């Protein structure tokens, strides 16, 4: 029996919930954090399998001399569910595979992956535990408006659009951290770590 198994933990939550804040707390504590969104962007530029698959589907305009033509790709998947599903079917497994490889290189018993789409991407199947970061809707709204320099209507539309997925994620997570400025985040994070470490 392998005793050095790396325990992989997912961090998820809706827009403005504070996933990244929890990740930063864990990073300060010395834990490795894998930002799936940032890595997805890097892999879409640097992974030859992704490049070849996207170019085959959408043509030579998908990439320029400097990398992925994000505006062009956005046009291909905007309001086209088939194209969006295709991109996700290429990118998500590549990110998942990269995370597993990255995990094995970390000098830590616990590693974390932050992802807003942990369940819909299938990343929940490659982690051992899931932390859901939650916050009241009015707080999420204000945070997202400030962060994205967006208006209330646009943010509320995104919150409502994600509502079903957020409910599913909340009920299927192992731990819930309340980022509501009432309970100390650090205390909650330490409590979760103690439970994971047994």
């Amino acid at each position: 029996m392998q005793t050095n198994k790396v325990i992989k933990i997912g961090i998820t939550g809706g827009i403005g919930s504070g996933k990244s804040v929890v990740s930063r707390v864990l990073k300060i504590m010395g834990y490795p954090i894998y930002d799936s969104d940032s890595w997805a962007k890097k892999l879409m530029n640097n992974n030859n399998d992704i490049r070849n698959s996207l170019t085959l589907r959408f043509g030579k305009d998908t990439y320029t001399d400097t990398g992925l033509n994000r505006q062009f790709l956005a046009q291909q998947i905007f309001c086209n569910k088939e194209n969006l599903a295709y991109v996700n079917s290429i990118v998500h497994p590549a990110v998942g595979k990269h995370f597993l490889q990255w995990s094995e290189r970390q000098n830590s018993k616990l590693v974390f992956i932050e992802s807003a789409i942990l369940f819909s991407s299938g990343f929940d199947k490659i982690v051992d535990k899931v932390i859901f970061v939650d916050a009241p809707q009015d707080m999420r709204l204000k945070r997202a408006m400030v962060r994205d320099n967006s208006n209330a209507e646009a943010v509320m539309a995104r919150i409502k659009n994600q509502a079903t997925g957020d409910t599913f994620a909340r009920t299927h997570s192992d731990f819930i951290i309340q980022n509501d400025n009432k309970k100390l985040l650090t205390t909650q994070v330490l409590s979760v770590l103690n439970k994971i470490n047994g």
Side-chain angles (χ1 to χ4, degrees):
M1 183 177 166
Q2 191 181 5
T3 53
N4 298 333
K5 182 182 180 290
V6 177
I7 300 171
K8 295 174 281 293
I9 301 148
I11 302 170
T12 194
I15 179 175
S17 61
K19 295 179 296 296
S20 298
V21 179
V22 170
S23 291
R24 279 200 294 275
V25 169
L26 286 160
K27 198 167 190 176
I28 290 166
M29 290 177 176
Y31 291 101
I33 310 292
Y34 185 97
D35 183 341
S36 64
D37 197 36
S38 297
W39 275 110
K41 287 172 183 168
K42 289 175 190 170
L43 290 169
M44 286 173 85
N45 269 330
N46 305 323
N47 182 299
N48 285 330
D49 290 337
I50 293 177
R51 288 181 75 117
N52 292 338
S53 297
L54 295 183
T55 303
L56 194 66
R57 174 88 172 200
F58 302 115
K60 58 181 174 55
D61 291 335
T62 311
Y63 286 88
T64 66
D65 293 338
T66 54
L68 180 68
N69 185 343
R70 296 193 178 281
Q71 192 174 2
F72 173 80
L73 186 62
Q75 289 167 353
Q76 307 311 306
I77 61 178
F78 184 70
C79 292
N80 187 318
K81 288 184 178 177
E82 279 186 19
N83 283 348
L84 175 60
Y86 177 81
V87 172
N88 287 343
S89 75
I90 298 299
V91 176
H92 293 165
V95 173
K97 183 180 176 183
H98 186 265
F99 166 66
L100 293 176
Q101 293 168 341
W102 172 91
S103 297
E104 295 303 321
R105 295 194 301 270
Q106 305 309 308
N107 187 25
S108 175
K109 182 189 168 187
L110 304 182
V111 298
F112 296 81
I113 176 170
E114 180 191 331
S115 174
I117 53 169
L118 192 88
F119 286 92
S120 61
S121 63
F123 298 155
D124 61 302
K125 293 177 178 64
I126 58 171
V127 297
D128 301 295
K129 298 288 180 184
V130 178
I131 298 169
F132 185 85
V133 184
D134 207 358
Q137 186 172 287
D138 58 332
M139 280 189 179
R140 292 173 59 197
L141 181 64
K142 286 173 189 168
R143 287 172 188 159
M145 283 170 65
V146 171
R147 185 193 67 197
D148 301 339
N149 194 21
S150 188
N151 61 47
E153 290 76 19
V155 175
M156 271 310 298
R158 287 169 67 191
I159 288 174
K160 284 177 181 172
N161 192 40
Q162 292 178 353
T164 305
D166 286 351
T167 301
F168 179 89
R170 189 185 292 105
T171 55
H172 287 77
S173 294
D174 300 283
F175 307 101
I176 295 176
I177 287 179
Q178 292 291 344
N179 185 18
D180 55 6
N181 296 341
K182 291 178 183 174
K183 302 171 188 169
L184 273 175
L185 267 186
T186 311
T187 306
Q188 294 183 75
V189 169
L190 285 170
S191 174
V192 168
L193 291 173
N194 286 336
K195 287 171 185 169
I196 291 168
N197 286 316

